[in-house]
Amino acid sequence: MSDPSPPRKRRTAGRITLNDVARQVGVSALTVSRFFNHPERVSEELRQRIGEAVSALGYVPNLVAGSLASARSRIVGMVIPNISGPIFASTIQGFSDTLARHGYQLLLASSYFSPEQEESAVRAFLGWSPAALVVTSHFHSEGTEKLLAETDIPVVEIWDYQPERAPIQVGFLHYDAGVMAARHLLERGYRRIAFVQNSAAGDFSALDRRDGCAATLRDAGLELWSFAPSAGSAPFEAGREAMERLMQETHRPDAILFANDNLAAGGLLAAQHMGLRIPGDCAVMGFGDYAFAEMLLPSLSTIRPPSLGIGETAALRVLESLGVIATEVPVQRLNRLECQLVEREST
Amino acid sequence: MSDPSPPRKRRTAGRITLNDVARQVGVSALTVSRFFNHPERVSEELRQRIGEAVSALGYVPNLVAGSLASARSRIVGMVIPNISGPIFASTIQGFSDTLARHGYQLLLASSYFSPEQEESAVRAFLGWSPAALVVTSHFHSEGTEKLLAETDIPVVEIWDYQPERAPIQVGFLHYDAGVMAARHLLERGYRRIAFVQNSAAGDFSALDRRDGCAATLRDAGLELWSFAPSAGSAPFEAGREAMERLMQETHRPDAILFANDNLAAGGLLAAQHMGLRIPGDCAVMGFGDYAFAEMLLPSLSTIRPPSLGIGETAALRVLESLGVIATEVPVQRLNRLECQLVEREST
DNA sequence: ACCTCTTATGTCAGCGCTAACATCACCAGT
DNA sequence: ACTGGTGATGTTAGCGCTGACATAAGAGGT
């Protein structure tokens, strides 16, 4: 024992550490740590000298070590059904940018609507002890629910607005979007209004929109004409088929509300082929305000969901929960955003 | 000193740790650690019992601690100009999904083409000692170059293919896209071909496409007619203007290659207003294969850049560099992907 | 001069995990 | 029995940083 075995091999990869900077300046490591995390607690003079040493040495703080020591990190995890696609991209963008502005990083994963993939992403994210977690409101697996319930970091659910659920909610009501569309069509004088949705796979949110639309018409003493084109054809084809079929009816509609812009685009094309004037012979409206909506001929009236706003609002609520930005306490738990009516030529 | 000061307050937040699991099973912490990282080195029986204890206790490994100890992490950072938008979204998607399949997480930031924002993102990412870093090929700040040069983790540059640059490259040549478009138009018999680009801000890659197109025409004894609509109007408007102006010329072109699909869409609409038949009176071609390209009337022939492929390939090269997946050594440094010709009605 | 209060900086111990090394049990070969 | 090899498991010492606490140095009041 008086013979100390040869010192273990250092594993460090020669990386520059806080201590290197501290030694260079002639202060303790903690002072340098404070330079980064609480600069106001370091005297002006030291701040100056430390700043110089940091850039001279090219020191990059090891956030992993910092997070371990402080049990906090500046990472926020987000699980979203998919990254590309017209729907969620700008939510991610808004979220990421708002976070970045406050020095937080985004850890991102896509679930493709699979509860299992979502759970594994949530589990992995939790391992990073993130500052907060954002999931897309949707059916969660039991495991996910449990993980989210047990953690004590802020959890935000986005996109669907479900006031009965526990965590912070940021979303909108598809029902409202239906109401908004119906009001617009009524205002323009249309009376025989049809709703077209793809009969294929369960787009439940489309049903909410239809209900909102139907209720509004009912209040005006009208009935919504609901139509679902035959098979699981692509949305574009389905829209075309719907337009053709509806226009052959004896009492054909004077306006069609499509469940989304893809369907509406198909409808528009079919109308062109048939030589119909839009909106003269029949008005057309969509939902989503996809990028192409304004490029169609005629340009498509539609409802724009608050995609970007959801991302930004979610980020704000997260930052407020963390105390990074001020808020009139407490953090607003329910955040119901509004869709936006985009009036173009097709109505 | 015989009087040990009262033990410091534990900071631990009652979270379940490796040790808790180990104690429960009656083994050492290291064995549990191996259970997660090298399961093959743990006996069948212990594996069983540890697995049970883990799920009974609801243990979630602390990846932060693991990363600090091993100086490795399963995070990969990606900095990209923007997240939404038609261009990069599917690159991110392909990258993220491929990584996720191997247990790696994506840390994402957008730079909006700003070298400063890029540098700050790279710096922050490096603090997480990520397994690898992906940046979008573009002008980097000096600081970024330095950071990337000094790190010893794999660095991948995507989108532009620049063989002269140091790190792993995954991208395509815009010049090739121009060649591809020109060949297609020649094949279809068009001879008076114009190239339309937005005179506004420097889209340098469009110039490369134009050059590729021009060179191909020259080889066929033809000259490319280059046209830039007046002012910094929106791409859509610019396309419209270009179409109107070009069609008033005496020897008007029989085909127009637009610098991107947005311009082309504007051109298509203008043609409709003018009562021109596309492609009969004039063929139209774009670049990008944005989502709306197939919804236009006529549907738009265009060139599809390998967005998804870039993301996936980048992820594969990263995983190979890390030794996660096998490769015929060494990792392929230059990866030149191909664009795809999408022939539709407009040509 | 003395005490208190505030501000700037330092000491020490650990955050939860894993690399390196050590140990132990067991088997085969001589 | 003795040696050496193999595979499973344990011991130790950090990884680089920050929290709690301690201390020093000055400011201000009496």
Side-chain angles (χ1 to χ4, degrees):
Chain A
M1 28 225 65
S2 56
D3 174 41
S5 51
R8 294 278 174 95
K9 197 184 297 170
R10 286 261 161 173
R11 298 178 231 144
T12 173
R15 183 174 165 164
I16 295 166
T17 74
L18 250 200
N19 272 306
D20 298 328
V21 178
R23 204 170 314 122
Q24 166 109 6
V25 181
V27 295
S28 80
L30 187 40
T31 304
V32 181
S33 164
R34 276 194 275 255
F35 169 82
F36 284 103
N37 300 312
H38 309 281
E40 75 283 359
R41 293 194 210 156
V42 177
S43 64
E44 176 55 35
E45 189 228 337
L46 275 184
R47 225 179 302 167
Q48 180 78 25
R49 285 169 49 204
I50 293 174
E52 281 163 16
V54 164
S55 55
L57 293 172
Y59 169 67
V60 177
N62 185 329
L63 302 178
V64 178
S67 299
L68 178 59
S70 66
R72 284 186 280 98
S73 82
R74 288 177 159 245
I75 279 186
V76 178
M78 178 180 232
V79 189
I80 205 147
N82 67 71
I83 296 171
S84 56
I87 312 285
F88 299 113
S90 49
T91 299
I92 303 174
Q93 182 87 64
F95 188 70
S96 154
D97 290 350
T98 308
L99 284 185
R101 219 166 292 134
H102 294 270
Y104 281 70
Q105 312 301 137
L106 173 65
L107 205 49
L108 188 68
S110 51
S111 70
Y112 292 103
F113 293 104
S114 143
E116 289 74 34
Q117 280 187 253
E118 183 184 59
E119 178 172 342
S120 92
V122 167
R123 188 178 298 277
F125 285 179
L126 282 175
W128 287 102
S129 35
L133 224 41
V134 176
V135 296
T136 307
S137 201
H138 173 60
F139 175 76
H140 303 305
S141 73
E142 230 176 89
T144 306
E145 297 280 10
K146 195 152 161 263
L147 288 171
L148 294 180
E150 279 172 4
T151 182
D152 52 356
I153 61 173
V155 173
V156 179
E157 276 195 5
I158 58 171
W159 267 86
D160 277 342
Y161 179 83
Q162 303 178 315
E164 71 281 2
R165 293 179 66 96
I168 300 174
Q169 294 275 336
V170 181
F172 71 99
L173 239 32
H174 287 273
Y175 186 95
D176 289 350
V179 171
M180 182 176 273
R183 287 211 183 117
H184 170 66
L185 291 173
L186 289 174
E187 213 166 80
R188 291 278 167 125
Y190 303 108
R191 287 295 175 269
R192 296 186 54 78
I193 298 173
F195 184 88
V196 170
Q197 65 197 299
N198 209 329
S199 55
D203 182 356
F204 298 111
S205 50
L207 298 183
D208 286 344
R209 295 197 288 277
R210 187 198 56 194
D211 291 347
C213 181
T216 309
L217 293 190
R218 211 173 305 121
D219 290 350
L222 299 169
E223 202 180 332
L224 180 66
W225 179 350
S226 201
F227 181 82
S230 62
S233 42
F236 189 65
E237 298 300 328
R240 180 189 300 250
E241 183 194 333
M243 176 64 77
E244 285 165 0
R245 297 272 297 279
L246 284 171
M247 288 300 118
Q248 286 161 8
E249 300 277 334
T250 337
H251 292 292
R252 63 192 206 184
D254 58 3
I256 306 180
L257 175 58
F258 287 88
N260 62 56
D261 284 358
N262 280 329
L263 287 167
L268 239 34
L269 277 210
Q272 288 226 7
H273 277 132
M274 299 163 73
L276 294 169
R277 287 171 307 116
I278 304 287
D281 294 318
C282 179
V284 168
M285 193 159 181
F287 173 83
D289 193 29
Y290 300 162
F292 59 79
E294 61 172 340
M295 311 230 174
L296 298 173
L297 192 68
S299 59
L300 179 66
S301 293
T302 188
I303 303 279
R304 178 188 309 161
S307 313
L308 189 68
I310 288 176
E312 292 173 343
T313 307
L316 291 177
R317 294 297 165 272
V318 163
L319 293 168
E320 287 169 3
S321 302
L322 299 173
V324 177
I325 59 180
T327 171
E328 316 77 67
V329 278
V331 174
Q332 190 171 339
R333 213 176 64 72
L334 296 176
N335 302 268
R336 178 170 163 190
L337 306 188
E338 297 269 321
C339 289
Q340 195 183 337
L341 174 67
V342 184
E343 305 184 41
R344 297 207 182 89
E345 297 161 1
S346 69
T347 54
Chain B
M1 42 212 59
S2 57
D3 174 40
S5 51
R8 295 277 174 97
K9 197 185 296 172
R10 287 260 161 175
R11 297 179 232 142
T12 173
R15 181 173 166 164
I16 295 167
T17 75
L18 252 200
N19 273 307
D20 297 328
V21 178
R23 203 170 314 123
Q24 166 108 7
V25 181
V27 295
S28 79
L30 187 40
T31 305
V32 181
S33 164
R34 276 195 275 256
F35 169 82
F36 284 103
N37 300 313
H38 310 278
E40 75 284 358
R41 292 192 211 158
V42 177
S43 66
E44 176 56 32
E45 189 229 335
L46 276 184
R47 224 179 300 166
Q48 181 77 25
R49 285 169 49 204
I50 293 174
E52 281 163 17
V54 164
S55 55
L57 293 172
Y59 169 67
V60 177
N62 184 330
L63 302 178
V64 177
S67 300
L68 179 59
S70 67
R72 283 187 280 100
S73 84
R74 289 177 158 244
I75 279 186
V76 178
M78 179 180 232
V79 188
I80 205 147
N82 69 70
I83 296 171
S84 57
I87 312 284
F88 297 113
S90 49
T91 298
I92 302 174
Q93 182 87 63
F95 188 71
S96 155
D97 290 349
T98 308
L99 284 185
R101 221 166 289 134
H102 294 269
Y104 281 70
Q105 312 301 137
L106 172 65
L107 206 48
L108 188 68
S110 50
S111 70
Y112 292 102
F113 293 103
S114 143
E116 289 73 34
Q117 279 186 257
E118 185 185 58
E119 177 171 344
S120 93
V122 167
R123 188 178 298 278
F125 285 179
L126 282 176
W128 286 102
S129 38
L133 223 41
V134 176
V135 296
T136 307
S137 202
H138 173 60
F139 174 76
H140 302 306
S141 73
E142 229 176 89
T144 306
E145 298 280 10
K146 193 150 163 265
L147 288 171
L148 295 181
E150 277 173 6
T151 182
D152 52 356
I153 62 173
V155 173
V156 180
E157 275 196 5
I158 57 171
W159 268 85
D160 277 341
Y161 178 83
Q162 303 178 315
E164 71 281 4
R165 291 178 69 95
I168 300 174
Q169 292 277 333
V170 180
F172 70 100
L173 239 31
H174 287 273
Y175 186 95
D176 289 351
V179 170
M180 181 176 273
R183 287 213 184 115
H184 170 67
L185 291 173
L186 289 174
E187 212 166 81
R188 292 277 168 125
Y190 302 108
R191 288 296 175 268
R192 294 186 54 79
I193 299 174
F195 183 88
V196 170
Q197 64 196 300
N198 208 329
S199 54
D203 182 355
F204 298 111
S205 49
L207 298 183
D208 286 343
R209 296 197 286 279
R210 188 198 56 193
D211 292 345
C213 182
T216 308
L217 292 190
R218 213 173 304 122
D219 289 349
L222 298 170
E223 201 181 333
L224 180 66
W225 180 352
S226 200
F227 182 83
S230 61
S233 42
F236 188 65
E237 298 301 327
R240 180 189 300 250
E241 181 194 333
M243 175 64 78
E244 285 166 358
R245 296 272 297 278
L246 284 171
M247 288 299 119
Q248 285 163 7
E249 300 277 336
T250 337
H251 292 291
R252 62 194 206 184
D254 59 2
I256 305 181
L257 174 58
F258 287 88
N260 62 55
D261 284 359
N262 280 329
L263 287 167
L268 238 35
L269 277 209
Q272 287 227 7
H273 276 133
M274 297 162 74
L276 294 169
R277 287 171 306 116
I278 305 285
D281 293 317
C282 180
V284 168
M285 192 160 184
F287 172 83
D289 194 29
Y290 300 162
F292 58 78
E294 63 171 339
M295 309 232 174
L296 299 172
L297 192 66
S299 60
L300 179 66
S301 293
T302 189
I303 303 279
R304 179 188 310 162
S307 315
L308 189 67
I310 287 176
E312 292 173 343
T313 307
L316 291 177
R317 294 298 164 271
V318 163
L319 293 168
E320 287 170 3
S321 302
L322 299 173
V324 177
I325 59 180
T327 171
E328 315 78 67
V329 278
V331 173
Q332 191 173 339
R333 213 176 64 74
L334 295 177
N335 302 268
R336 177 168 162 191
L337 305 189
E338 298 269 320
C339 290
Q340 196 182 334
L341 175 67
V342 184
E343 306 183 39
R344 296 208 182 90
E345 298 162 0
S346 69
T347 54

